[in-house]
Amino acid sequence: MDFNDSPEDAEYRRNVRAWLDQNVPKKIGSTEHEKLAAAKDWQAKKAAVGYGCITWPKEWGGPGGTAIQNVIFTEEESNYQVPPNPFRIGLGMCLPTVMAVGDEDTKKRFVGPAMRGEEIWCQLFSEPSAGSDLGASRTRAVRADGKSDWIINGQKVWTTLAQYSDYGIVICRTDPNVPKHKGLTMFWVDMKDPGVKVTPIRQMSGGAEFNEVFLADVRVKDSQRLGAVGGGWKVSLITLMTERLAVGKLSGANWAQFLDAARRTPGIGGTPALKDQSLREKLADWYVQDEAIKHTRNRAMTAISKGQIPGPENSISKIIAATKLQELSHAAVEMLDQYGIVSGPYLSESAGQFHATLLTAPGLRIAGGTDEILRNILAERVLGLPGEIRVDKDVAFRDVPTGR
Ligand SMILES: Cc1cc2nc3c(=O)[nH]c(=O)nc-3n(C[C@H](O)[C@H](O)[C@H](O)COP(=O)(O)OP(=O)(O)OC[C@H]3O[C@@H](n4cnc5c(N)ncnc54)[C@H](O)[C@@H]3O)c2cc1C
């Protein structure tokens, strides 16, 4: 395992830091509109100097950098207050898929504008009955009468950033007469098509980052197909695989803030909560978990630096990190008493911050693979335990009771 940057990577890191020092925007704005505009400007600025999509090939306007340079930039950028990133799904998952399977015209049309932050993309995969089991997708795409066009009808759900998106990649069932994974096809759709309706889902945190998306008679050209007819499952694996490469710096902010709050908050008998024995036991557990995540991450980065793809063992990090975040914010809310749940302009900066994290942390245990699914992956692919029984694997989708 390599713990330190190579001399070239260390120089790259120095250059990144110097550039960020000079270029991070001074003002992000407070309204949704201002933040979106700041995000677009920031992405354009990064793209202009080769920090927009570091690993993208020169052929498509990227700098052709290494995956490790990408990790370095992400790490360094996370030390600054930068605009929110509405491009993460498009640039992280959708466009890599387009580059892998799209035809030349499609790549020419979409890669550049996405890289420069001019267009936003979303991922239309999950459905009310197809999340963990994406192969059970029921959104239908059928050939328009006598034409090569397709008509899409169905519903997607939990679509992050659909409300800002210009385009989306959508997995559809094109053949219900073959087993579920074989009858799927991927397309790109225009999110501004009159047949696409985006409805926000209000979260318990108060935000509405994701949406239900209804597709009613959305007509797409055959040239909007990504990959072969019936090859959608394979294409979706390309999309999901890119998620595993997103090995950014794990946020340490909440950990530092927790320690700070525990030092300042009186516990039993008026001594700082940090002196409390039961809290110290929790801190020790979280510390050990943090160290394990750090080393797992180092292992993944070593694989990336050698041009390999991190293996399924990388799933450990999300299970542990998301659970820890939830436990830590819960402990903080209890420790801070009323300051744990209220926030406002007259209170200290830390008031309410853990409450917000407590309400968003459960989503992290679901997004990108639930805890249970990741544990299944670890059991089957890392530990070599017997696979789950998959009774519908060889059955035509229309004959699966939930497939009708
Ligand atoms: C913050 C967030 C952002 C998201 N963004 C997007 C997005 O942009 N685009 C998109 O398409 N989707 C998105 N999703 C959806 C996400 O991919 C799904 O929520 C996830 O795959 C789980 O699917 P589900 O919600 O249908 O739950 P289900 O799959 O119905 O699971 C319900 C429960 O059953 C368990 N379970 C299911 N199958 C098994 C099994 N085989 N073994 C053991 N336990 C099992 C699960 O672990 C879970 O506890 C997002 C979700 C979140 C929380």
Side-chain angles (χ1 to χ4, degrees):
M1 207 188 297
D2 303 332
F3 292 96
N4 299 314
D5 290 338
S6 68
E8 300 78 41
D9 290 337
E11 192 189 344
Y12 187 82
R13 194 184 287 279
R14 275 195 298 278
N15 291 340
V16 166
R17 273 187 200 154
W19 186 83
L20 287 168
D21 274 343
Q22 292 292 315
N23 290 284
V24 163
K26 305 269 177 295
K27 217 173 135 224
I28 294 172
S30 53
T31 66
E32 209 174 311
H33 180 74
E34 286 167 345
K35 285 185 196 164
L36 189 62
K40 289 192 167 197
D41 283 352
W42 181 230
Q43 182 60 30
K45 208 168 180 181
K46 289 194 289 184
V49 292
Y51 291 143
C53 296
I54 289 166
T55 55
W56 287 17
K58 291 192 171 141
E59 183 191 358
W60 296 109
T66 64
I68 207 81
Q69 288 174 342
N70 193 34
V71 172
I72 289 172
F73 187 88
T74 312
E75 280 185 347
E76 293 301 324
E77 190 188 33
S78 73
N79 294 325
Y80 293 79
Q81 184 81 24
V82 292
N85 183 359
F87 311 103
R88 59 187 187 275
I89 295 192
L91 302 182
M93 291 193 247
C94 304
L95 271 299
T97 308
V98 168
M99 282 193 276
V101 296
D103 61 28
E104 294 304 291
D105 287 347
T106 308
K107 291 189 234 182
K108 251 187 219 146
R109 162 64 187 84
F110 291 114
V111 174
M115 183 163 50
R116 293 189 295 274
E118 292 159 14
E119 289 169 350
I120 299 177
W121 285 65
C122 62
Q123 179 205 10
L124 298 150
F125 282 14
S126 302
E127 297 183 9
S129 302
S132 304
D133 186 11
L134 183 61
S137 298
R138 283 190 290 184
T139 290
R140 294 286 300 272
V142 293
R143 292 272 191 195
D145 287 342
K147 301 266 183 338
S148 65
D149 291 6
W150 299 81
I151 308 286
I152 301 178
N153 277 290
Q155 184 199 341
K156 297 290 174 178
V157 73
W158 312 124
T159 318
T160 309
L161 298 165
Q163 72 272 40
Y164 304 124
S165 291
D166 300 286
Y167 301 99
I169 57 172
V170 58
I171 190 156
C172 301
R173 179 144 322 266
T174 43
D175 187 355
N177 300 313
V178 292
K180 60 181 184 179
H181 291 112
K182 295 188 176 149
L184 298 165
T185 305
M186 190 80 77
F187 298 90
W188 64 262
V189 287
D190 182 348
M191 293 296 288
K192 306 287 189 263
D193 186 289
V196 177
K197 186 172 168 227
V198 177
T199 310
I201 300 174
R202 185 64 59 188
Q203 297 148 232
M204 64 176 167
S205 62
E209 283 142 26
F210 35 52
N211 307 270
E212 290 180 289
V213 177
F214 299 90
L215 301 127
D217 289 335
V218 177
R219 192 175 185 115
V220 297
K221 301 216 167 304
D222 193 47
S223 58
Q224 290 178 237
R225 180 162 46 81
L226 295 168
V229 175
W233 178 249
K234 273 194 191 151
V235 179
S236 76
L237 293 183
I238 298 174
T239 315
L240 299 174
M241 179 70 81
T242 56
E243 256 187 326
R244 199 185 291 161
L245 283 171
V247 191
K249 184 180 175 187
L250 294 165
S251 166
N254 282 288
W255 177 242
Q257 286 161 354
F258 185 92
L259 289 178
D260 186 45
R263 261 185 226 110
R264 288 186 291 104
T265 308
I268 299 161
T271 51
L274 192 57
K275 301 257 180 220
D276 183 79
Q277 195 53 42
S278 65
L279 185 64
R280 292 175 84 85
E281 277 172 27
K282 281 187 191 147
L283 286 170
D285 280 348
W286 294 329
Y287 177 78
V288 171
Q289 288 173 2
D290 245 20
E291 286 300 294
I293 292 169
K294 219 187 288 171
H295 292 306
T296 306
R297 185 171 160 275
N298 279 334
R299 245 192 326 199
M301 283 184 54
T302 305
I304 289 175
S305 70
K306 291 180 180 157
Q308 298 159 358
I309 292 173
E313 70 281 358
N314 215 32
S315 302
I316 298 168
S317 297
K318 194 174 91 77
I319 299 177
I320 304 293
T323 310
K324 195 200 86 181
L325 195 62
Q326 193 175 5
E327 285 174 3
L328 186 139
S329 46
H330 186 241
V333 167
E334 286 200 331
M335 177 180 75
L336 290 165
D337 208 356
Q338 72 267 36
Y339 291 106
I341 53 166
V342 290
S343 59
Y346 306 110
L347 296 168
S348 77
E349 245 181 59
S350 64
Q353 67 186 356
F354 291 107
H355 186 229
T357 308
L358 181 63
L359 297 180
T360 49
L364 299 178
R365 298 182 63 180
I366 299 171
T370 65
D371 283 7
E372 290 79 12
I373 293 299
L374 296 183
R375 286 198 165 94
N376 280 354
I377 290 173
L378 291 170
E380 292 180 23
R381 296 178 50 199
V382 180
L383 302 176
L385 295 175
E388 232 188 317
I389 298 163
R390 295 177 173 101
V391 286
D392 56 359
K393 207 171 103 202
D394 301 313
V395 181
F397 186 68
R398 68 177 150 68
D399 295 331
V400 176
T402 53
R404 285 180 211 133

